């Protein structure tokens, strides 16, 4: 695993990424490159408010980052890594109860 391009997810990051729109946002940024919430919302047929919210959650988990480009309220986002991975042992002690 190349540490510069791959991040190993912990239980918190996996929980953040489990949301379908967040997964789609991260995939779009990895495949298409940096974009604004408005452009991503248009591409993924969702609204800008939800897109912005989920981008911030991904950023809190270290999966995306603000590029620093843009002006005013326009923020450009990019994927923080090219790919991610995890092992079951990374999350086996997670306090989240398992569903039966």
């Amino acid at each position: 695993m190349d540490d510069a391009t791959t991040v190993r997810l912990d239980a918190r990051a996996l929980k953040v990424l489990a949301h379908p729109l967040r997964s789609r946002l991260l995939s779009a940024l990895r495949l298409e490159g940096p974009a604004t919430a408005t452009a991503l919302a248009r591409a993924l047929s969702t609204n800008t408010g939800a897109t912005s919210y989920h981008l911030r959650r991904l950023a809190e988990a270290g999966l995306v980052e603000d590029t620093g480009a843009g002006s005013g309220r326009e923020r450009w986002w990019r994927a923080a890594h090219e790919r991610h991975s995890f092992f079951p042992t990374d999350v086996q002690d997670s306090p989240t109860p398992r569903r039966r």
Side-chain angles (χ1 to χ4, degrees):
M1 178 177 359
D2 181 355
D3 291 335
T5 61
T6 303
V7 63
R8 190 160 159 187
L9 303 181
D10 60 12
R12 181 177 159 269
L14 274 172
K15 184 176 180 181
V16 167
L17 195 53
H19 190 283
L21 180 54
R22 293 177 192 157
S23 180
R24 292 173 58 211
L25 288 166
L26 181 57
S27 294
L29 291 170
R30 284 182 175 161
L31 293 171
E32 304 299 327
T36 63
T38 301
L40 289 164
R42 189 172 27 253
L44 300 176
S45 300
T46 187
N47 69 66
T48 303
T51 301
S52 293
Y53 171 81
H54 291 297
L55 285 166
R56 289 191 304 273
R57 300 297 77 78
L58 288 165
E60 289 170 3
L63 296 169
V64 303
E65 55 195 15
D66 187 333
T67 67
S71 60
R73 294 181 57 177
E74 180 183 73
R75 294 174 75 179
W76 283 79
W77 298 92
R78 68 176 162 229
H81 306 90
E82 290 180 17
R83 59 189 159 270
H84 58 265
S85 69
F86 72 95
F87 296 99
T89 55
D90 294 337
V91 295
Q92 70 187 12
D93 295 327
S94 173
T96 306
R98 293 181 184 201
R99 293 185 181 176
R100 296 179 192 255

